[in-house]
Amino acid sequence: MPGENILIIGGGPAGLEAARGVADLGYKAILVEKRDRLGGTPDSANYAALTHGMRDASEVMAEIVAAVSGNPLVDIRLNATVTESSGAAGDFRVTLQENGGPATVEAGAIIVATGFDHFDPGRATQAYGYYEYDDVITLTDAEAMLKEKKFVKPSNGQAPDRVCFIQCVGSRDRQLGNEYCSKVCCGIASKQAIEIRQLLPQCKVFIFYIDMRMYGYWENEIYWPAQEKYKVQYIRGVISEIVKKGDRLMIRGEDTTMNRPMEVAMDIVILSVGMEPSKGTKEIARILGLAQNKYGFIDPAHGSLDTVSTSVEGVFVAGAAAGPKDLDDTMGMAGAAAMKAAALVRRKSKAPSPLSSPPVGERVG
Amino acid sequence: MPIPINIPVKGPAAAPSRKGEFRRSPDDAPEDLRAMALELEAKGEWIVQRVPEPYVEVQTKYGKAKKIPLQHTWHHKSCGQCGHIPGYSTSIFWLHRKLGLEYNDPRDQTSCTAWNYYASATSNSAAQAAVAMRNFAAAYETGYFPQIHCATSYGHYKEVRSELIHHKELRDQVRDVLKKMGKPLVIPEEIVHYSEWVYAVRHEIAKRQVLDLRNITATVHPACHYYKLVSEDAIYDPDVYGGQRTAIVTGVARRSAPRWRTTRPGSTAAASASATSWSSGTSPAPSPSSGRSR
Amino acid sequence: MATGTGTGASSAGLARATPGGSVERGAEPPFEEKLRLFNEVTQDLRFPDYLYGCYECGICVAVCPSARFYDFSPRRIAQAVAREDVELVYEQMNRDVWECSQCFSCLRCPRQNNPGGIVTIMREVAVKNGLHSAKEALEGYSRIIYKIMSTGTQVSPDMIRPDAFPDWGPTAKETADNLEVWRRAMPPETMHTTSSSWEVDDKTLTELYLIWHLTGVLDMIKTLDESLHMILVDVMEEKLEEAGYPLGG
Ligand SMILES: Cc1cc2nc3c(=O)[nH]c(=O)nc-3n(C[C@H](O)[C@H](O)[C@H](O)COP(=O)(O)OP(=O)(O)OC[C@H]3O[C@@H](n4cnc5c(N)ncnc54)[C@H](O)[C@@H]3O)c2cc1C
Ligand code: SF4
Ligand code: SF4
Ligand code: SF4
């Protein structure tokens, strides 16, 4: 019955987990993904190993994809996106743009899992030279190299002797309009630092930071080993200028703990770029009329006690579409969104259900 | 083909680059002071002096358009330039005459006094704003639109505009001061630096090139006060240093190497199209110094 | 609430400010006076836009030209005010602030602080209150203020002296010797001047006087240099009266 279908937009970790949850609860999931394959950003951006646990990203993503791809209750639509929506909770009519042209689907609830984009360091003009120097790269560029177990200077293909990370690029910055912390980049940088030290034991690795934000087990599982076992150098003070000197990069900053200026040569500079709402997230929020915060992320309507309901009844959000999230957050939200969406369609559908006796009242979700 | 910043040393990347091309978005721009100035005008707080036609629309840091008037400009001179390196101002006027663009070189202009202010602090925000607004009012009275030669004046006036927009009490105070001298409170629609004008007419200048400077290495120092103060109002061009450095000076240097002459579709092509359209029309007669003489 | 952390270092800090020991310091004012100056800084209308919070990230220091040449740090400026360290701010007003180049590179601050702008305000308070450091730092500067007040421009061709500008090379002498001729040779008529950057109308100059008179700049000059103030007031009052501006207050 169409009113019991649940439309999930976005086939990344959040969308995949939500689809699995919906199917496990016995409802039909329609999973719409813009790209020609599932897996989301960890797949499209070629993530290597995932924190925490350091499992291979392709392996992890393959498992989550496998859980939905053969499932008769999950209708996967690739190369598809949403262009229009009408109706209300329990009875949405949504127009998709697919390979073959437009198509209409009916659904009782919608879960938005359209994720994030990486901050484009070009926006911080004059600071990092990302588009000017081959050897200035981002976390995702580094992930791709680490995945192939070949970490070299892009300019000449040689192994680097000195590599550094610059934290908070495009996050925690009022000038750039992204005032929030992106949550994962401290952990990812430290993880990559370990991987670089494993691959190239002679290479020195530095991390320039404002604060290292390694909450929970990321502290003892990543931060401490990086510092203690792999001798990664953590220096408090952010680099603000990079210039080329010979075939190396001179970086300039202040070592704020030691109270002295720094000007040191590096072979590769890795920018720890943060998260921004993806274009898809902003577009879907507009189409569905969802309230967004000033950064463009979808606002959960009920604060921290309900992280997945949005300003529109029957529409839920999961994962990085709702703000910077790591995988733990993402998977947790996806499960909650699946549960609340299923509860809603069950409540709204006319079909009698043995469990439907107590009235749920006004409360959304 | 964008200009590589590291011209002598940059070679083709050995490993395939995953970097795309930088795309700016007006959505990322902070508050729009020009729009706010117009709102204040609608409330009767001040007059916004409009950019005269013809103008060239150029792109600022986040891709917002900025109008650069080509002529009928009131030249707010620079004390550093006129005092010690007068070839600057002389060349700016010379370029205007070469291009047949009419301008006004006024005597009713003081220094912005920001150099004194930044050096000695012997002034305050009200005095600084009043000096700026006196000069703007003087321009307005002539009907000519300010073109500012000095980067410090330019940056400082942008700061003053922002302070005036954000602080009503300052606006009121400065309006009172100007009233005493019988002048209205006027803010130009755009605050324009001469280098922006040069950028806007670079293709026209290039057409008149007589020397081949191809093998000359040039070094440029875009003034701190040009692009660091109210940074979103400075010109950036995706075709110049990939949009990563302010385009005002580099846009001119481009002419020297023919392999960079190809214009990609987009802002530059648009700018050059509009640049030719004004020059193919009837050029106004040059008038070297329409300022009052005595 | 204002606290006085770091006070122990303050007198030592002042001693450091004058390694030669040649300039005699005014007596150390009481805490209440320093607090008054501190409040004057934070009550400036621009202050809320100049300081939000500070990460101690050092970006401002990294881009600061003055930090490379002096024991100066925009981060310490921002931190001292943010911590409401009245003693340290007073100390900085007496020394550090005069080392800033006012280039505003530090506007790159991720919190959107403006340490250079905080310095501007601190300097202004130092000048307005006649702090010893302001007089000392601005010794010899009076001639620039006089230049502005007498010509409406700040930098004049006749300031080019080979001894004053050795880095201008050998032609500086020749330019200085034949300044009048050089200036007359330039096409823009407005620049046929030697003692001002360009020719400024009398009426324009009078309007500038009026601005300085009405906005309290003259009072600042008075605390800085009494004799200059006297000269300026004489000239100004005459001009303003001639132009028919009423001179109340
Ligand atoms: C460099 C980096 C490394 C990271 N590494 C780790 C790690 O090691 N461990 C960890 O816990 N977290 C890590 N993260 C965070 C992790 O990537 C995110 O938590 C996770 O990807 C969020 O999943 P998501 O499904 O919400 O969004 P995404 O992964 O961004 O997926 C969104 C999906 O929606 C699709 N989509 C977007 N718009 C539309 C539309 N309009 N229509 C249809 N489909 C659309 C997209 O194509 C995409 O497939 C990392 C993040 C970064 C930046
Ligand atoms: S996680 Fe770390 S690097 Fe990322 S924004 Fe937060 S503090 Fe900065
Ligand atoms: S304005 Fe002052 S503090 Fe700021 S960077 Fe320039 S010299 Fe340093
Ligand atoms: S850049 Fe800003 S936040 Fe960082 S130390 Fe300087 S004032 Fe503080």
Side-chain angles (χ1 to χ4, degrees):
Chain A
M1 149 152 207
E4 288 189 357
N5 292 345
I6 295 171
L7 174 69
I8 299 167
I9 312 170
L16 290 165
E17 178 63 7
R20 172 163 68 177
V22 165
D24 280 353
L25 288 167
Y27 290 90
K28 187 178 162 196
I30 304 167
L31 179 59
V32 174
E33 166 57 49
K34 194 168 60 178
R35 295 169 64 232
D36 61 1
R37 45 187 284 153
L38 298 172
T41 308
D43 174 71
S44 65
N46 296 299
Y47 290 177
L50 290 177
T51 59
H52 51 128
M54 299 288 246
R55 287 191 60 201
D56 181 79
S58 320
E59 213 179 277
V60 173
M61 290 319 299
E63 277 173 24
I64 323 182
V65 171
V68 301
S69 52
N71 195 321
L73 281 175
V74 183
D75 171 6
I76 298 170
R77 313 282 189 98
L78 296 176
N79 298 308
T81 186
V82 169
T83 53
E84 245 179 278
S85 163
S86 61
D91 180 25
F92 288 107
R93 286 175 70 80
V94 176
T95 312
L96 306 181
Q97 187 62 41
E98 287 185 300
N99 271 340
T104 305
V105 295
E106 287 172 20
I110 301 174
I111 297 174
V112 180
T114 42
F116 71 101
D117 276 346
H118 302 95
F119 173 78
D120 183 338
R123 242 161 68 202
T125 49
Q126 237 109 342
Y128 307 116
Y130 178 71
Y131 288 102
E132 292 154 354
Y133 311 126
D134 292 330
D135 296 335
V136 177
I137 62 178
T138 61
L139 282 181
T140 49
D141 302 329
E143 280 286 328
M145 282 203 277
L146 290 168
K147 192 175 188 117
E148 280 156 25
K149 304 259 181 281
K150 185 163 179 270
F151 193 77
V152 294
K153 287 177 70 165
S155 62
N156 62 12
Q158 283 167 15
D161 293 327
R162 294 161 71 84
V163 173
C164 75
F165 292 82
I166 303 177
Q167 296 308 103
C168 302
V169 171
S171 306
R172 309 177 71 194
D173 193 321
R174 187 178 265 119
Q175 304 267 5
L176 295 168
N178 295 345
E179 293 157 338
Y180 50 84
C181 164
S182 289
K183 254 182 156 173
V184 298
C185 8
C186 279
I188 310 308
S190 299
K191 179 212 75 163
Q192 291 188 356
I194 293 174
E195 290 171 313
I196 294 167
R197 292 279 295 154
Q198 285 171 338
L199 271 178
L200 307 166
Q202 90 299 341
C203 178
K204 280 201 177 314
V205 180
F206 304 81
I207 297 185
F208 295 103
Y209 68 97
I210 302 176
D211 311 282
M212 286 313 289
R213 300 200 157 166
M214 313 280 281
Y215 52 91
Y217 300 130
W218 293 44
E219 183 79 18
N220 55 307
E221 289 181 13
I222 308 167
Y223 190 8
W224 287 16
Q227 208 169 25
E228 296 172 7
K229 182 163 175 216
Y230 292 98
K231 305 294 175 208
V232 173
Q233 303 291 316
Y234 286 83
I235 298 170
R236 190 169 192 283
V238 167
I239 303 306
S240 58
E241 203 176 354
I242 301 171
V243 288
K244 190 139 181 165
K245 200 144 196 189
D247 58 3
R248 293 188 122 180
L249 299 161
M250 283 303 268
I251 60 164
R252 191 179 285 167
E254 188 199 11
D255 182 335
T256 57
T257 341
M258 300 304 229
N259 210 352
R260 63 185 175 207
M262 298 179 285
E263 203 168 89
V264 276
M266 291 291 158
D267 293 308
I268 296 179
V269 175
I270 303 171
L271 308 177
S272 292
V273 288
M275 296 188 185
E276 295 190 322
S278 68
K279 276 180 207 71
T281 292
K282 291 192 219 171
E283 193 180 289
I284 294 295
R286 189 178 48 75
I287 293 170
L288 300 179
L290 309 178
Q292 294 165 270
N293 64 17
K294 68 193 259 204
Y295 314 112
F297 288 113
I298 293 168
D299 243 354
H302 307 289
S304 34
L305 294 185
D306 175 359
T307 53
V308 298
S309 296
T310 68
S311 60
V312 173
E313 192 197 4
V315 180
F316 304 89
V317 62
K325 304 277 181 254
D326 64 8
L327 281 174
D328 294 24
D329 294 344
T330 299
M331 301 310 258
M333 279 181 89
M339 182 270 284
K340 285 193 191 270
L344 180 118
V345 297
R346 187 173 60 84
R347 216 165 53 233
K348 293 275 179 190
S349 74
K350 304 278 182 288
S353 156
L355 298 174
S356 68
S357 29
V360 190
E362 293 290 273
R363 184 119 161 75
V364 173
Chain B
M1 172 63 195
I3 303 178
I5 194 146
N6 197 17
I7 296 164
V9 276
K10 181 168 166 153
S17 175
R18 308 183 67 253
K19 298 177 188 178
E21 199 178 289
F22 172 56
R23 284 188 206 290
R24 56 189 174 179
S25 155
D27 291 349
D28 298 327
E31 60 184 12
D32 187 344
L33 290 167
R34 286 168 287 169
M36 290 161 87
L38 289 170
E39 281 166 28
L40 284 174
E41 183 187 47
K43 289 187 192 142
E45 288 255 6
W46 59 10
I47 300 167
V48 176
Q49 183 181 11
R50 298 300 195 280
V51 171
E53 310 235 9
Y55 55 79
V56 169
E57 273 197 355
V58 300
Q59 308 289 308
T60 54
K61 183 163 173 173
Y62 297 98
K64 286 202 171 174
K66 178 170 185 176
K67 298 174 190 168
I68 307 297
L70 294 172
Q71 64 170 356
H72 210 62
T73 40
W74 188 89
H75 285 245
H76 182 293
K77 294 176 288 299
S78 149
C79 27
Q81 290 171 10
C82 291
H84 286 191
I85 32 178
Y88 244 112
S89 353
T90 308
S91 312
I92 297 168
F93 293 137
W94 178 76
L95 281 171
H96 277 76
R97 294 197 298 278
K98 278 280 172 197
L99 298 176
L101 297 172
E102 164 236 12
Y103 64 91
N104 181 336
D105 172 12
R107 288 177 172 81
D108 187 9
Q109 183 222 324
T110 68
S111 287
C112 66
T113 71
W115 181 67
N116 163 60
Y117 180 49
Y118 290 144
S120 78
T122 318
S123 186
N124 54 52
S125 44
Q128 290 306 111
V131 169
M133 299 308 277
R134 197 218 68 84
N135 278 331
F136 284 150
Y140 179 73
E141 284 166 350
T142 65
Y144 285 72
F145 192 89
Q147 183 190 105
I148 299 164
H149 288 192
C150 173
T152 291
S153 306
Y154 167 86
H156 179 63
Y157 286 172
K158 287 197 298 182
E159 290 273 301
V160 164
R161 172 179 63 180
S162 163
E163 281 164 27
L164 284 167
I165 284 174
H166 289 112
H167 302 286
K168 181 172 167 30
E169 59 281 26
L170 184 65
R171 263 191 328 268
D172 292 344
Q173 188 183 357
V174 173
R175 195 187 298 106
D176 272 359
V177 172
L178 290 199
K179 203 169 164 188
K180 290 211 166 66
M181 55 184 86
K183 283 184 157 50
L185 197 63
V186 184
I187 192 84
E189 180 184 359
E190 303 279 6
I191 297 189
V192 178
H193 190 234
Y194 89 88
S195 61
E196 300 180 324
W197 174 84
V198 173
Y199 171 82
V201 298
R202 66 199 184 283
H203 299 293
E204 290 302 314
I205 295 175
K207 279 186 204 156
R208 292 155 176 84
Q209 177 177 4
V210 285
L211 290 179
D212 184 352
L213 303 176
R214 206 172 322 214
N215 295 317
I216 310 260
T217 304
T219 175
V220 284
H221 164 71
C224 289
H225 291 173
Y226 170 73
Y227 73 96
K228 291 176 182 170
L229 292 163
V230 195
S231 58
E232 66 271 21
D233 211 34
I235 297 180
Y236 287 77
D237 177 342
D239 274 355
V240 180
Y241 291 151
Q244 295 294 294
R245 311 263 151 169
T246 173
I248 46 159
V249 268
T250 48
V252 184
R254 266 167 59 102
R255 179 72 174 104
S256 57
R259 68 194 162 92
W260 294 329
R261 217 177 288 161
T262 46
T263 26
R264 289 179 308 151
S267 57
T268 316
S272 68
S274 50
T276 21
S277 63
W278 61 260
S279 66
S280 57
T282 46
S283 295
S287 77
S289 179
S290 41
R292 280 174 294 149
S293 59
R294 28 174 183 178
Chain C
M1 197 36 234
T3 56
T5 50
T7 49
S10 69
S11 45
L14 288 175
R16 246 187 296 131
T18 54
S22 54
V23 182
E24 224 194 288
R25 287 270 151 202
E28 190 72 8
F31 181 80
E32 288 65 36
E33 173 61 6
K34 295 175 185 168
L35 182 61
R36 190 184 65 77
L37 297 171
F38 176 85
N39 287 337
E40 208 173 310
V41 170
T42 55
Q43 276 152 22
D44 188 282
L45 103 169
R46 295 161 291 182
F47 186 77
D49 298 329
Y50 286 2
L51 183 73
Y52 294 89
C54 174
Y55 274 142
E56 291 258 41
C57 66
I59 284 183
C60 53
V61 178
V63 296
C64 174
S66 293
R68 311 188 90 199
F69 295 102
Y70 303 106
D71 179 17
F72 169 76
S73 157
R75 176 170 60 84
R76 288 204 304 261
I77 298 277
Q79 277 290 326
V81 199
R83 292 176 189 193
E84 304 186 341
D85 188 335
V86 172
E87 296 282 357
L88 185 55
V89 169
Y90 178 75
E91 189 187 318
Q92 290 178 338
M93 242 185 310
N94 273 296
R95 179 178 53 129
D96 304 46
V97 296
W98 301 103
E99 287 167 352
C100 162
S101 327
Q102 295 279 281
C103 65
F104 298 104
S105 302
C106 50
L107 276 173
R108 174 62 196 88
C109 168
R111 297 296 282 274
Q112 211 168 305
N113 297 336
N114 181 353
I118 300 172
V119 166
T120 312
I121 299 175
M122 284 165 75
R123 282 184 181 183
E124 234 179 272
V125 171
V127 170
K128 224 165 118 190
N129 290 280
L131 257 58
H132 192 87
S133 75
K135 292 188 181 169
E136 182 192 310
L138 297 178
E139 238 168 19
Y141 194 82
S142 306
R143 70 190 183 109
I144 304 288
I145 293 169
Y146 181 72
K147 175 66 73 184
I148 297 177
M149 292 315 289
S150 57
T151 71
T153 65
Q154 295 173 133
V155 180
S156 60
D158 60 10
M159 286 176 181
I160 304 179
R161 297 267 160 245
D163 48 333
F165 293 93
D167 49 332
W168 281 60
T171 52
K173 178 164 166 37
E174 147 119 59
T175 312
D177 288 348
N178 299 300
L179 191 61
E180 183 84 34
V181 178
W182 281 113
R183 296 293 292 191
R184 292 228 155 255
M186 292 192 308
E189 279 170 34
T190 50
M191 279 153 63
H192 293 176
T193 53
T194 55
S195 63
S196 65
S197 318
W198 60 87
E199 209 177 300
V200 176
D201 281 343
D202 275 351
K203 175 174 165 289
T204 307
L205 199 53
T206 313
E207 287 172 353
L208 184 63
Y209 289 156
L210 187 67
I211 289 172
W212 282 33
H213 176 75
L214 292 172
T215 52
V217 177
L218 277 181
D219 300 335
M220 294 176 87
I221 296 175
K222 189 172 181 183
T223 59
L224 207 61
D225 188 332
E226 288 238 25
S227 51
L228 174 66
H229 180 254
M230 263 158 61
I231 301 171
L232 289 177
V233 167
D234 272 359
V235 182
M236 275 182 47
E237 292 193 339
E238 199 185 310
K239 293 260 183 204
L240 288 176
E241 259 155 42
E242 249 172 50
Y245 291 117
L247 280 183

